[in-house]
Amino acid sequence: MKGETHRVVIIGGGFGGLYAARSLGSSPVQVTMVDRRNFHLFQPLLYQVATGGLSPANIAAPLRRILVRQRNTEVVMADVADFDPENKKVILHDGEIAYDSLIVAAGAETGYFGQNQWAKLSPGLKSIEDATEIRRRVLSAFEQAERETDPKLREELLTFVIVGGGPTGVELAGALAEISHNTMKYDFRNINPADARILLVDAGERVLAPFPVELSTYAHDALVKLGVEVHNHHKVCNVEEDSVVVSHNDEETTIRAKTIIWAAGVQANPLGRKLAEKTGAKTDRGGRVMTEPDCTIAGHPEIFVIGDMACYAHQGEHPLPGVAPVAMQQGQYAAKTIVKRLQGKPVDPFHYHDPGSLATIGRSKAVAVLGKWKYTGFVAWVLWLVIHLMKLIQFESRLLVLMQWSWAYSTFNRSARLITGEDYRQEELQDILNS
Amino acid sequence: MKGETHRVVIIGGGFGGLYAARSLGSSPVQVTMVDRRNFHLFQPLLYQVATGGLSPANIAAPLRRILVRQRNTEVVMADVADFDPENKKVILHDGEIAYDSLIVAAGAETGYFGQNQWAKLSPGLKSIEDATEIRRRVLSAFEQAERETDPKLREELLTFVIVGGGPTGVELAGALAEISHNTMKYDFRNINPADARILLVDAGERVLAPFPVELSTYAHDALVKLGVEVHNHHKVCNVEEDSVVVSHNDEETTIRAKTIIWAAGVQANPLGRKLAEKTGAKTDRGGRVMTEPDCTIAGHPEIFVIGDMACYAHQGEHPLPGVAPVAMQQGQYAAKTIVKRLQGKPVDPFHYHDPGSLATIGRSKAVAVLGKWKYTGFVAWVLWLVIHLMKLIQFESRLLVLMQWSWAYSTFNRSARLITGEDYRQEELQDILNS
């Protein structure tokens, strides 16, 4: 009988995929969750790993653990290579999986507007490895500055450029400002960490563009008060080793900086384009797959594309934004749709209920839009804290994060300030081999 | 006047170096702590990072933070390349530092008995990178086994060989047994993690050789009860890709295993031999520097060598073991000796006060020797927990570790089960560059 059970394959264990899998937990279907990582990552807090406030395991939970009680669900750690929609198969790098319904939710990655050579010079913030790499670069820059005697080089080491004024850029800039002004205040003997320049460079008119104007203004002022130099209307023309070229009013300036962080854009996982090729679906400029009102692909009602990989343009003026609530709701919708169809019930189009938006700037400073209500300052910050804690998948993570936040709030310390990386193990191996 | 202050340079922020630095905190000397990492690592709990129980930041604390209140102390993150004892200088890869007194405490690294080509095949457990690499290999082996259809390959994936029956080997074997029998019990659909074979291979007569015989026997039995195959009198003759060759009663056997972990030996940091060359000091087989009764080098009363880098043979039958309490006490002794000399006071030779030994095997199972008293089982385990928590450097770490241990004890879960590593970032960059 097992062979006759409806097989749902979900690609990606992010918000979309995970919420889909959970919604199917007690349905009479067979679920296979495919991810190339063994954990679900709570991306909204990734910037706190990048800035030494939290550890990777605090915001990542093993997928097997999350889904352990769902006896109809299997987790497969594998790389998806391609699709065979005709034969209803997902092609893996080392095998294939057959499906009756497919939910594609492989998310997005950092996008460099086609300038992919910038990736090595200016890491984005999408994975745990990105976060520990940014942490390594930021902390190493302060360490090197402490030992640098050339004032010009020291200045370059203490200049941090963040490209992109969306929530990630704002949160990173705020956290970096707090690190340099508070956390590391007394840590050095030759430099004053507060001398660090933190530049937030954004091509648009204002930071946090999707928020109401007055909240953008609040965020801007809060950043400036923290010591961040906010540069709107500045477009990045080039990223080079230790410098960024920006253009403002048709005038180009070169900013010398050892640390450049890219928070300016994302593009859909390349699997989007592969799926589009095979199914004839369209993609938008960011590689997102255009979907029908029911989140499926035209001509393929059995293939759902959801979350950051999907361009859903059937509600409102603009396509839905690439944020967690859209992915979660689309995941739940796809799951329910599959079950309803099996039951022969009619299905309504997807409808996004916007729960609001939040962004934090720093200690006691945040902005929030919940329905008609707008909040700034301490209230928004508490809202941000509570909502992010609640949304963390594991109860243990909530406790650990809460404890670290309380500790950081009262001591200004950030305990996860480790410079780690493969470099060291390679070096040690080299030492051993040479010795 | 600053130039006339006595300059103490400490190489290494491990137990020895850190305890020396702290002892000098309010002395009229200028202290420089040199380490190539930016944190102090609590090595006794490293095996818990390797087995997904704790996060790196829980057992590592930024050196600057630990020493932030010591206004006479400077932290320098740098690589030591060599020594110039004639001119009292430490040569860095990129500079030099002058000293009046030098404390060399650069610790030990994994030793492969001269077979350095084994290092890549069988990682040791001395650094955070080692620990996350072992974690990656162990968890990946289970993931691959879940997808492997060839029963022979599956068996190899589920075979874990730990070389060395000292505390690290015993602790790793116990933790791996618990992971496979408890933590991951319901995680997989195609394999039973409890089928994993965990082999502890040791050349000696019994595990935990430095402990009294009855404690070794207890540990042996506890391991066997957990499902570990303990092989004493088995010497490793060769390590190859996916296999270990062991010899027992002059008969060689090949064990096929995808995961081989090396806990069989350490050797002093190579700086020991460099220092010996420059000063005429002697080293032992493990590269440890032979020291005088006052922990200095013959002919160089201003150079102290302490901890795992030193061979101190003036107390008891054997040289002092490479354990944390020796390093801590020698660090404090070196600091006090420097101050006493400046005051013109006489100095007694170093004397080690053995506070006892502890090793844990698993849940509620440990052995402890404290003075004349020997403990096994629950009592020893509670002692182990309390002492390790107390010895963690930061109060915040103590809380976080305590919380994770309580959680793990009640749920059998280990939340830090992440497969991470530079591989992923490299791959992503490749994806971006190719796209």
Side-chain angles (χ1 to χ4, degrees):
Chain A
M1 299 303 258
K2 205 184 170 189
E4 289 170 28
T5 315
H6 189 86
R7 294 161 302 179
V8 181
V9 172
I10 301 170
I11 297 175
F15 287 115
L18 189 58
Y19 275 67
R22 285 182 148 192
S23 300
L24 290 168
S26 50
S27 302
V29 295
Q30 217 181 298
V31 180
T32 306
M33 159 70 77
V34 184
D35 200 306
R36 63 176 179 150
R37 308 305 299 260
N38 76 327
F39 51 82
H40 165 74
L41 178 64
F42 191 78
Q43 286 194 12
L45 291 180
L46 206 47
Y47 82 96
Q48 297 217 352
V49 174
T51 51
L54 293 175
S55 285
N58 299 144
I59 62 162
L63 280 169
R64 296 193 182 282
R65 183 72 190 184
I66 305 174
L67 299 169
V68 71
R69 281 167 210 271
Q70 290 188 203
R71 300 309 292 174
N72 70 341
T73 305
E74 184 179 5
V75 176
V76 174
M77 188 177 144
D79 260 314
V80 173
D82 210 340
F83 302 90
D84 179 357
E86 213 151 303
N87 300 301
K88 295 193 179 173
K89 276 178 185 166
V90 173
I91 314 296
L92 307 176
H93 273 294
D94 54 355
E96 49 181 48
I97 306 179
Y99 61 81
D100 296 310
S101 293
L102 175 65
I103 301 175
V104 185
E109 51 191 42
T110 307
Y112 291 90
F113 309 131
Q115 304 294 322
N116 294 333
Q117 72 280 12
W118 296 351
K120 286 220 172 222
L121 306 170
S122 172
L125 184 59
K126 292 299 283 179
S127 68
I128 283 184
E129 287 74 17
D130 286 343
T132 48
E133 172 64 13
I134 289 175
R135 185 175 75 183
R136 192 183 69 71
R137 291 190 189 200
V138 169
L139 296 174
S140 299
F142 281 101
E143 291 292 342
Q144 286 169 34
E146 168 81 349
R147 297 190 56 214
E148 183 58 63
T149 47
D150 180 337
K152 233 186 102 198
L153 289 178
R154 187 184 275 192
E155 214 180 290
E156 285 179 19
L157 284 163
L158 290 178
T159 305
F160 300 86
V161 177
I162 297 156
V163 183
T168 302
V170 167
E171 285 166 343
L172 272 172
L176 283 186
E178 292 197 331
I179 285 182
S180 52
H181 285 91
N182 299 323
T183 311
M184 306 207 294
K185 196 169 183 178
Y186 303 110
D187 276 10
F188 296 92
R189 300 292 177 262
N190 305 317
I191 57 164
N192 179 1
D195 290 343
R197 285 179 67 200
I198 294 141
L199 285 78
L200 185 62
V201 175
D202 187 54
E205 198 174 327
R206 54 190 175 95
V207 297
L208 299 181
F211 285 72
V213 177
E214 60 265 48
L215 299 195
S216 290
T217 308
Y218 172 86
H220 185 110
D221 295 346
L223 283 170
V224 170
K225 229 179 258 173
L226 281 171
V228 176
E229 302 171 28
V230 183
H231 296 286
N232 291 119
H233 297 296
H234 278 66
K235 206 177 157 269
V236 169
C237 317
N238 201 8
V239 183
E240 288 159 22
E241 191 90 35
D242 303 336
S243 72
V244 198
V245 183
V246 292
S247 129
H248 177 57
N249 293 337
D250 292 327
E251 207 171 292
E252 291 198 355
T253 325
T254 301
I255 307 168
R256 301 283 308 167
K258 281 274 176 193
T259 312
I260 305 156
I261 305 173
W262 193 262
V266 296
Q267 60 192 24
N269 188 305
L271 288 175
R273 288 227 161 83
K274 287 195 178 165
L275 181 62
E277 263 173 43
K278 291 290 162 69
T279 58
K282 291 203 174 81
T283 53
D284 71 359
R285 262 189 2 162
R288 300 190 299 169
V289 180
M290 310 292 296
T291 61
E292 299 291 292
D294 63 353
C295 296
T296 63
I297 300 181
H300 285 279
E302 77 284 7
I303 303 181
F304 296 81
V305 186
I306 61 171
D308 288 1
M309 272 188 81
C311 178
Y312 189 89
H314 307 282
Q315 185 183 339
E317 268 175 70
H318 303 288
L320 293 179
V323 295
V326 171
M328 293 172 183
Q329 291 179 30
Q330 288 187 334
Q332 288 168 330
Y333 172 85
K336 276 181 202 152
T337 301
I338 290 167
V339 174
K340 277 187 186 165
R341 281 191 198 151
L342 287 175
Q343 295 168 335
K345 288 185 190 164
V347 179
D348 288 329
F350 172 71
H351 186 84
Y352 176 54
H353 299 275
D354 185 357
S357 313
L358 295 149
T360 182
I361 299 123
R363 199 179 178 76
S364 310
K365 291 189 190 74
V367 294
V369 191
L370 302 177
K372 286 182 226 160
W373 305 92
K374 294 169 205 160
Y375 303 92
T376 57
F378 190 72
V379 176
W381 184 72
V382 171
L383 276 170
W384 183 92
L385 285 180
V386 171
I387 289 170
H388 281 77
L389 274 179
M390 274 172 21
K391 290 289 176 191
L392 274 170
I393 292 293
Q394 290 185 314
F395 187 70
E396 183 186 3
S397 304
R398 284 177 214 154
L399 286 183
L400 289 171
V401 170
L402 177 62
M403 186 181 277
Q404 284 168 96
W405 282 351
S406 314
W407 200 260
Y409 191 78
S410 43
T411 64
F412 291 91
N413 192 16
R414 289 161 182 262
S415 58
R417 278 186 280 145
L418 310 182
I419 301 178
T420 56
E422 189 63 19
D423 283 4
Y424 286 97
R425 192 164 152 78
Q426 289 305 335
E427 248 177 55
E428 273 160 37
L429 281 175
Q430 218 46 56
D431 279 1
I432 290 174
L433 291 169
N434 293 341
S435 71
Chain B
M1 297 304 258
K2 206 183 169 188
E4 288 171 29
T5 315
H6 189 87
R7 294 160 302 178
V8 182
V9 173
I10 301 171
I11 299 175
F15 287 115
L18 190 57
Y19 276 67
R22 285 183 147 192
S23 300
L24 289 168
S26 50
S27 302
V29 295
Q30 215 181 302
V31 180
T32 306
M33 158 72 76
V34 184
D35 200 307
R36 62 176 180 150
R37 308 306 299 261
N38 76 327
F39 51 81
H40 164 76
L41 178 64
F42 191 77
Q43 286 197 11
L45 291 180
L46 206 48
Y47 83 96
Q48 297 216 352
V49 174
T51 52
L54 293 175
S55 285
N58 299 145
I59 62 162
L63 280 169
R64 294 192 183 283
R65 184 72 191 181
I66 305 175
L67 298 169
V68 73
R69 281 168 210 271
Q70 289 188 203
R71 299 309 293 176
N72 69 341
T73 305
E74 183 180 6
V75 176
V76 174
M77 190 177 143
D79 260 315
V80 174
D82 209 339
F83 302 89
D84 179 358
E86 213 150 305
N87 299 302
K88 295 194 180 173
K89 277 179 184 166
V90 174
I91 314 295
L92 307 176
H93 274 295
D94 53 356
E96 50 182 47
I97 306 178
Y99 60 81
D100 296 309
S101 294
L102 176 65
I103 301 176
V104 185
E109 50 191 40
T110 307
Y112 291 91
F113 309 130
Q115 305 294 319
N116 294 333
Q117 71 281 10
W118 297 351
K120 285 219 173 225
L121 306 170
S122 172
L125 185 58
K126 292 299 282 180
S127 69
I128 283 184
E129 287 74 16
D130 286 343
T132 48
E133 172 64 14
I134 290 175
R135 184 175 76 180
R136 193 183 68 74
R137 291 191 188 201
V138 168
L139 296 174
S140 298
F142 281 101
E143 291 292 342
Q144 287 169 34
E146 168 81 349
R147 297 190 57 214
E148 182 57 64
T149 47
D150 180 337
K152 233 186 103 198
L153 289 178
R154 186 184 277 191
E155 214 181 288
E156 285 178 20
L157 283 163
L158 290 178
T159 305
F160 301 86
V161 177
I162 296 155
V163 183
T168 302
V170 167
E171 286 166 342
L172 273 172
L176 283 185
E178 291 196 332
I179 285 181
S180 53
H181 286 90
N182 299 323
T183 312
M184 305 208 293
K185 195 168 183 178
Y186 303 109
D187 276 10
F188 296 92
R189 298 294 177 260
N190 304 317
I191 57 164
N192 179 0
D195 291 343
R197 284 179 67 200
I198 294 142
L199 286 77
L200 185 63
V201 175
D202 187 55
E205 198 174 328
R206 55 192 175 93
V207 298
L208 300 181
F211 285 72
V213 177
E214 59 265 48
L215 298 195
S216 288
T217 308
Y218 171 87
H220 186 111
D221 294 348
L223 284 170
V224 170
K225 231 180 254 173
L226 281 171
V228 176
E229 303 171 26
V230 183
H231 297 286
N232 290 119
H233 298 295
H234 278 66
K235 203 176 159 274
V236 169
C237 318
N238 202 6
V239 181
E240 288 159 22
E241 192 89 36
D242 303 336
S243 71
V244 198
V245 183
V246 292
S247 130
H248 176 57
N249 293 337
D250 291 328
E251 209 170 290
E252 290 198 356
T253 325
T254 300
I255 307 168
R256 300 285 305 169
K258 281 273 176 193
T259 312
I260 304 156
I261 305 172
W262 193 262
V266 294
Q267 62 192 23
N269 188 305
L271 287 176
R273 287 227 161 84
K274 286 194 180 165
L275 181 62
E277 263 172 45
K278 290 290 163 71
T279 57
K282 292 203 173 84
T283 54
D284 72 358
R285 263 190 1 164
R288 299 190 298 170
V289 180
M290 310 293 296
T291 61
E292 299 291 292
D294 64 353
C295 296
T296 62
I297 299 180
H300 284 280
E302 77 283 8
I303 304 181
F304 296 81
V305 186
I306 61 171
D308 288 1
M309 271 188 82
C311 178
Y312 188 89
H314 307 281
Q315 185 184 339
E317 268 175 71
H318 304 289
L320 293 179
V323 295
V326 171
M328 294 172 182
Q329 291 178 29
Q330 289 186 335
Q332 288 168 329
Y333 172 85
K336 276 182 203 153
T337 300
I338 290 167
V339 175
K340 277 188 186 164
R341 282 192 199 149
L342 287 175
Q343 295 168 336
K345 288 185 190 164
V347 179
D348 288 328
F350 172 71
H351 186 85
Y352 176 55
H353 300 275
D354 186 356
S357 313
L358 295 149
T360 183
I361 299 122
R363 201 181 175 76
S364 310
K365 291 188 190 76
V367 293
V369 192
L370 302 179
K372 285 182 227 162
W373 305 92
K374 295 168 203 160
Y375 303 93
T376 58
F378 190 72
V379 176
W381 185 70
V382 171
L383 275 170
W384 183 91
L385 287 180
V386 171
I387 288 171
H388 280 76
L389 274 179
M390 274 172 19
K391 290 290 176 192
L392 274 169
I393 293 292
Q394 290 186 313
F395 187 71
E396 184 185 5
S397 304
R398 285 178 213 154
L399 286 182
L400 290 171
V401 169
L402 177 63
M403 186 181 278
Q404 284 169 94
W405 283 351
S406 314
W407 200 261
Y409 192 78
S410 43
T411 63
F412 291 92
N413 191 16
R414 287 160 182 263
S415 58
R417 278 185 281 143
L418 310 182
I419 300 178
T420 55
E422 191 61 19
D423 282 5
Y424 286 97
R425 194 166 149 78
Q426 289 306 336
E427 248 176 54
E428 273 160 35
L429 281 175
Q430 219 45 57
D431 278 4
I432 291 174
L433 290 169
N434 294 339
S435 71

